[in-house]
Amino acid sequence: MTEENVILVNENDEPIGLMPKLEAHEKAVLHRAFSVFVLNDKNQLMLQQRAHHKYHSPLLWTNTCCSHQREGETNLQAGNRRLMEEMGFQTELKELFHFIYKAPFDNGLTEHELDHVMIGYYNEAPSINPDEVESWKWMDIEEVKQDISVNPEVYTVWFKIIFEEFYHFLEEHKV
């Protein structure tokens, strides 16, 4: 199977090329990504635990799903595609904001992403893909915020950044 490419972008989110995903993470090149947050009508966030065999951040808890857009794919199309691939359901998504972050990992790889954050609403249990997701759970937004401060090591770096910097966006979009 050929490795998937990521879309290299400048700081204005303008595409400047393609690169294999692993190479982009080895070279810490800025590329486009997205993070999907799904809430239920109790204002709980659906979290996923990344699969144990992921090449970075295995078994860490994170937002509902995240990945990289493919060439020619809109942010919302990418979010819906990956939500189905990882969590086994679809729901209407809305893009909230984007931000740039850079985070090195212990394995020598670095995430340097322009991350588009999307929100959706769903009340059922997902049908998780075990190749991507180890487990999942619903958590109150306040509970997530408190747990990150007590147990930061169990969460992905991008998830902690989003919560620290953009918590108010999630609060504003309660059902």
Side-chain angles (χ1 to χ4, degrees):
M1 185 170 152
T2 4
E3 185 181 358
E4 198 159 317
N5 285 324
V6 294
I7 301 168
L8 305 181
V9 294
N10 62 23
E11 290 186 356
N12 296 318
D13 198 24
E14 297 165 337
I16 56 173
L18 297 173
M19 183 178 282
K21 182 169 69 169
L22 187 56
E23 183 181 352
H25 291 131
E26 289 168 344
K27 295 180 176 178
V29 182
L30 183 63
H31 58 280
R32 191 177 287 159
F34 63 88
S35 296
V36 173
F37 285 72
V38 172
L39 298 169
N40 65 18
D41 58 11
K42 297 175 187 161
N43 205 38
Q44 295 173 317
L45 178 60
M46 182 184 288
L47 298 180
Q48 73 149 276
Q49 184 181 34
R50 290 170 58 84
H52 67 277
H53 56 268
K54 290 281 193 173
Y55 69 86
H56 74 74
S57 309
L59 296 176
L60 295 185
W61 288 94
T62 195
N63 49 287
T64 313
C65 83
C66 53
S67 190
H68 303 94
Q69 295 84 337
R70 292 178 177 159
E71 187 177 24
E73 191 175 47
T74 68
N75 297 327
L76 293 174
Q77 287 170 337
N80 276 302
R81 171 185 51 82
R82 201 63 185 152
L83 190 58
M84 181 56 85
E85 291 171 358
E86 290 186 17
M87 304 302 284
F89 70 90
Q90 288 189 319
T91 189
E92 186 178 340
L93 298 176
K94 175 184 175 186
E95 192 167 344
L96 295 180
F97 57 88
H98 64 271
F99 69 105
I100 294 174
Y101 77 97
K102 189 173 187 178
F105 294 106
D106 293 341
N107 62 4
L109 301 177
T110 299
E111 285 282 22
H112 189 193
E113 296 185 334
L114 193 149
D115 193 14
H116 293 264
V117 178
M118 300 170 223
I119 194 166
Y121 302 93
Y122 190 72
N123 288 303
E124 308 299 319
S127 176
I128 61 172
N129 176 351
D131 291 334
E132 300 291 338
V133 180
E134 197 75 20
S135 186
W136 74 279
K137 62 185 173 183
W138 290 109
M139 279 182 81
D140 292 325
I141 291 176
E142 280 300 323
E143 185 184 357
V144 173
K145 186 178 180 186
Q146 291 167 4
D147 197 48
I148 287 173
S149 68
V150 176
N151 301 301
E153 71 283 355
V154 304
Y155 293 95
T156 62
V157 65
W158 61 89
F159 183 66
K160 290 184 286 192
I161 291 169
I162 292 170
F163 247 82
E164 182 180 321
E165 299 292 326
F166 305 108
Y167 169 79
H168 65 279
F169 279 96
L170 296 173
E171 280 295 294
E172 290 169 7
H173 287 86
K174 288 182 181 180
V175 177

